[in-house]
Amino acid sequence: MDTGAIDHTMIRVEDLETSIDWYTEHLGYEVKRRSEHETFTLAFLGPEDVHDAGALLELTYNHDGRTYDMGDAWGHVAVRVPDVEAAYAELMDGGVEDYRPPDENPGYAFVKDPDGHEIEIVERDFGARYSIDHTMMRVEDADRAIGWYVRKLGYEPAGRWEAETFANYFLRPESAPQEAMAVELTYNYDGRSYEMGDAWGHLAVRSADLEAAWDELMTREAADYRDPASCDWNYAFTKDPDGHEIEVVVR
């Protein structure tokens, strides 16, 4: 499939300005673009020097004042830093709430944004500081989920970590630069199921030709969820086997 790097991860927020302030103040993000609509507002954020293939964070704010359920089918967004301990200390000094410090998780740490979305901090020697390294989603059947991303999107395995009770599998677009975002699929061995919630929205993948990409997805028997015609030929949506929404956009 003619699919490039992951374009963005979308999350829903209850107070847009509070969320923008948090990401700009603590992660040094800037608003790359913003669009106002009758019932909602979208804001795309990322580091100033994000790579061309790097993913952005899309904040969706609905104007009706609704609240959201986090669910547990989505896990976190991971961002890169050269030194996890130094970055975590800086965030604590800046007033971010202490959540999971690096002394509990050697090599990584976690904070939460104002809406409770978990942000993992991982140590990387590449990519802009705080650029998105991966987005983690939980899956109920690892073989099925891995097969979907490989067959439907043409992704390739990019690492795995297997523990006593769970495993993490990383996938990324074929030939994508290391600065591009990966997908992390977390599989727990106890057979649990997950609730999607509505605080998380979707992953968006780039394509050079929306119609061709959609036709290929249909040929590969991906779910026909929101086709390009129903979205005024601006984008389209399918779903992975666990119900995570995958948007196709042209960049």
Side-chain angles (χ1 to χ4, degrees):
M1 183 179 136
D2 177 26
T3 305
I6 298 173
D7 188 76
H8 61 265
T9 294
M10 188 275 266
I11 58 177
R12 297 184 178 94
V13 300
E14 296 181 11
D15 185 322
L16 182 60
E17 300 311 320
T18 295
S19 294
I20 289 175
D21 287 347
W22 191 90
Y23 282 98
T24 55
E25 177 182 354
H26 299 299
L27 302 192
Y29 280 13
E30 62 181 18
V31 177
K32 301 294 187 179
R33 60 185 185 273
R34 177 171 176 155
S35 58
E36 301 285 347
H37 304 267
E38 184 177 353
T39 60
F40 63 93
T41 302
L42 307 178
F44 292 82
L45 289 78
E48 178 182 0
D49 53 348
V50 65
H51 191 275
D52 287 345
L56 299 181
L57 185 67
E58 178 187 6
L59 306 180
T60 292
Y61 170 65
N62 288 292
H63 300 168
D64 56 9
R66 72 184 74 176
T67 58
Y68 300 103
D69 175 17
M70 193 62 65
D72 57 2
W74 294 82
H76 60 259
V77 170
V79 296
R80 306 177 180 113
V81 297
D83 186 321
V84 169
E85 291 189 2
Y88 199 83
E90 179 183 289
L91 290 170
M92 296 303 98
D93 290 344
V96 174
E97 183 178 350
D98 187 7
Y99 178 45
R100 292 176 61 186
D103 57 356
E104 295 179 3
N105 316 278
Y108 62 95
F110 282 85
V111 294
K112 288 185 177 182
D113 76 0
D115 290 272
H117 296 100
E118 294 189 9
I119 310 298
E120 182 184 15
I121 305 164
V122 296
E123 202 159 290
R124 299 286 187 263
D125 61 0
F126 58 86
R129 191 169 192 258
Y130 288 127
S131 59
I132 299 178
D133 186 75
H134 62 266
T135 294
M136 187 274 266
M137 303 178 290
R138 298 184 178 93
V139 300
E140 296 181 10
D141 184 323
D143 294 334
R144 180 183 64 177
I146 292 168
W148 191 92
Y149 283 90
V150 170
R151 179 167 184 262
K152 303 298 192 290
L153 299 185
Y155 283 13
E156 57 185 15
R160 68 181 181 181
W161 187 62
E162 297 183 351
E164 184 177 348
T165 60
F166 68 95
N168 298 329
Y169 300 96
F170 294 85
L171 298 102
R172 59 191 301 115
E174 186 177 4
S175 302
Q178 61 183 357
E179 292 88 355
M181 192 190 94
V183 173
E184 178 186 5
L185 305 179
T186 292
Y187 171 62
N188 289 292
Y189 301 157
D190 56 10
R192 73 184 73 176
S193 58
Y194 302 101
E195 295 294 329
M196 193 62 64
D198 57 2
W200 291 83
H202 59 259
L203 296 182
V205 298
R206 298 175 186 169
S207 176
D209 186 322
L210 179 60
E211 183 174 7
W214 186 255
D215 287 346
E216 192 158 356
L217 281 171
M218 295 301 97
T219 297
R220 295 181 181 182
E221 302 175 302
D224 183 358
Y225 177 46
R226 295 174 61 190
D227 67 15
S230 69
C231 301
D232 296 325
W233 293 96
N234 294 316
Y235 45 83
F237 282 86
T238 185
K239 287 185 177 183
D240 76 5
D242 291 272
H244 301 100
E245 294 186 13
I246 308 298
E247 182 184 15
V248 183
V249 296
V250 173
R251 289 285 181 261

